[in-house]
Amino acid sequence: MEKVKLGIIGAGGLSTKKIYPSLLYIPEVKLEAVCDLDENKAKRNAEKFGANLVFTRMEQMLDEAELDAVIICIGPEQHAQLAPIVLKARLPVYTEKPPAVDAAGALAVARVAKDTGQLCMTAFKKRYTPLYVRMKEQMGTDRFGKPAMLVMQRSFSRYNNSSPRSTFLLDFCIHLIDLAPWLMGKVTAVHALSPEPNTWAIQMVFESGAAGSLAFCAHTSGVYPDEQVTIYGEDDAMLFVRDGHSLTFVHDRVYHTLHQINLTTAGQEGLVESGFLSEIQAFIKAVQTADRSVVQSDIASSYRSMLAHDSIVQSARTGQWVELKYEI
Ligand SMILES: NC(=O)c1ccc[n+]([C@@H]2O[C@H](COP(=O)([O-])OP(=O)(O)OC[C@H]3O[C@@H](n4cnc5c(N)ncnc54)[C@H](O)[C@@H]3O)[C@@H](O)[C@H]2O)c1
């Protein structure tokens, strides 16, 4: 197909700031239709980003617009409810994160994707950021060797955790909970301490035998980009991301800075460094070429990250180690 005709469901805060603007940098896509329960928002985004069609009901959009693909950006419950309807209409679908409220919801979507044979992708953006893409590449080199241990730390400003659908762990920490297995391989067991919902100290065991230690805290101002990820390899090899903006490889007592984000980046560069543009590009490319290898975050792997999330919650509640049993 020459251009992928896209419909977007949701014209709220995140999509208007990140998803619609990203399309302006992807010549292979044509925004065909916008749908939001709030007609004013749908009209506003259609006008601003060049779509001809406006809807307030997704089913009507699927019936009347001629689409090649759909993006849904609403919230976890709606992602899990609406994605299967799109898949059953024989269209590929991309949802924002989280793909569902829990692993069971994500698994149900993954099963529909399998049955229909359609692509279902989750916007787990960390898997598309240059920092972590390069980190993963370097982990595959001989000089890094077998990963021994992962250490992650991330903080943010206070969450009120008012709904189980938008907790600090599910809404914010999920990005790094998802990143851990993408970098290190399957998680086989977790143990977690959470004295209160804005503080998490987590241990992970990976299928490879490597260990992980993750700390998340919502007690900062949120202004400082506190995102630290270290992976220890063999001998003295070590890879680390500091402050979510630089990647360093230490080997043979020499430091190599492999990637550094220019903190003044704006527009397209900012969208690339944060992963937003690259993940949408991957989706559009997969739809256009039928090559799914460009997609790093299909719903089956998102389900596995959601199972890690649920197991962390369960462990914090019971005080016990939880072994992960994957359905797919
Ligand atoms: N990747 C990230 O870094 C990141 C950052 C922020 C938010 N998000 C995710 O983005 C998603 C949306 O967040 P937001 O802040 O834009 O929310 P929002 O509330 O601002 O927007 C949601 C929009 O969906 C519309 N809507 C609700 N139900 C609908 C339906 N059935 N059909 C059509 N439209 C419907 C609402 O009217 C609203 O305009 C969430 O899942 C959130 O976790 C991701």
Side-chain angles (χ1 to χ4, degrees):
M1 77 191 64
E2 208 183 309
K3 282 199 186 231
V4 173
K5 284 182 264 151
L6 181 71
I8 301 188
I9 304 162
L14 188 270
S15 60
T16 303
K17 271 194 238 127
K18 305 292 186 190
I19 297 179
Y20 293 88
S22 290
L23 302 181
L24 303 175
Y25 301 103
I26 309 177
E28 297 82 10
V29 70
K30 160 84 180 82
L31 179 63
E32 194 75 9
V34 176
C35 172
D36 196 294
L37 288 181
D38 181 335
E39 192 173 15
N40 289 330
K41 287 191 196 171
K43 276 185 179 159
R44 177 199 64 198
N45 280 18
E47 201 172 301
K48 200 167 166 187
F49 298 100
N52 292 325
L53 304 171
V54 171
F55 298 92
T56 54
R57 282 184 45 250
M58 183 188 84
E59 289 78 359
Q60 193 185 358
M61 180 180 96
L62 295 178
D63 280 351
E64 294 180 13
E66 275 188 31
L67 299 176
D68 299 314
V70 171
I71 287 180
I72 308 175
C73 179
I74 304 177
E77 270 170 326
Q78 295 87 345
H79 298 159
Q81 274 165 16
L82 303 185
I85 300 173
V86 177
L87 292 166
K88 285 175 188 166
R90 304 275 153 197
L91 289 173
V93 65
Y94 165 116
T95 77
E96 243 314 320
K97 60 61 114 167
V101 171
D102 54 23
L107 179 62
V109 180
R111 291 204 159 123
V112 178
K114 187 160 185 269
D115 290 348
T116 57
Q118 295 294 327
L119 170 65
C120 179
M121 160 177 171
T122 310
F124 276 133
K125 66 181 178 185
K126 295 288 176 190
R127 304 191 199 191
Y128 299 86
T129 59
L131 271 178
Y132 293 114
V133 168
R134 292 209 68 185
M135 189 177 219
K136 191 171 160 85
E137 270 168 22
Q138 293 299 320
M139 288 175 70
T141 59
D142 288 343
R143 61 182 186 159
F144 187 75
K146 189 170 176 262
M149 182 162 178
L150 164 78
V151 181
M152 286 179 163
Q153 170 190 318
R154 198 175 185 214
S155 69
F156 200 61
S157 54
R158 202 166 176 78
Y159 263 64
N160 67 18
N161 296 286
S162 55
S163 139
R165 278 90 185 101
S166 63
T167 63
F168 173 55
L169 195 75
L170 178 65
D171 190 44
F172 185 83
C173 308
I174 192 71
H175 282 297
L176 292 201
I177 293 171
D178 172 69
L179 188 62
W182 186 69
L183 291 170
M184 300 289 292
K186 259 186 184 172
V187 181
T188 53
V190 297
H191 183 267
L193 291 177
S194 176
E196 50 86 31
N198 283 331
T199 304
W200 293 84
I202 300 159
Q203 292 168 289
M204 275 183 181
V205 179
F206 298 95
E207 199 171 43
S208 64
S213 173
L214 292 70
F216 304 126
C217 193
H219 288 279
T220 59
S221 67
V223 172
Y224 183 74
D226 178 24
E227 180 173 313
Q228 328 296 344
V229 176
T230 305
I231 303 180
Y232 299 94
E234 273 173 42
D235 302 326
D236 73 341
M238 172 165 73
L239 278 159
F240 55 84
V241 165
R242 285 296 169 267
D243 301 333
H245 97 284
S246 66
L247 171 67
T248 303
F249 194 165
V250 186
H251 187 250
D252 281 343
R253 300 179 179 214
V254 181
Y255 282 58
H256 308 270
T257 300
L258 299 181
H259 191 80
Q260 188 134 24
I261 297 176
N262 173 356
L263 290 176
T264 62
T265 52
Q268 184 176 7
E269 276 179 66
L271 288 170
V272 170
E273 295 293 357
S274 56
F276 283 108
L277 176 54
S278 312
E279 61 189 354
I280 298 170
Q281 265 168 336
F283 178 61
I284 297 300
K285 189 166 182 195
V287 172
Q288 193 181 36
T289 63
D291 173 10
R292 293 190 188 180
S293 67
V294 293
V295 169
Q296 293 292 317
S297 51
D298 72 346
I299 185 68
S301 68
S302 306
Y303 150 72
R304 293 191 281 273
S305 293
M306 290 300 295
L307 189 64
H309 165 273
D310 292 7
S311 305
I312 290 166
V313 174
Q314 187 188 337
S315 172
R317 203 176 287 141
T318 60
Q320 305 293 312
W321 276 90
V322 175
E323 282 186 23
L324 279 74
K325 299 208 170 17
Y326 296 97
E327 301 275 337
I328 53 173

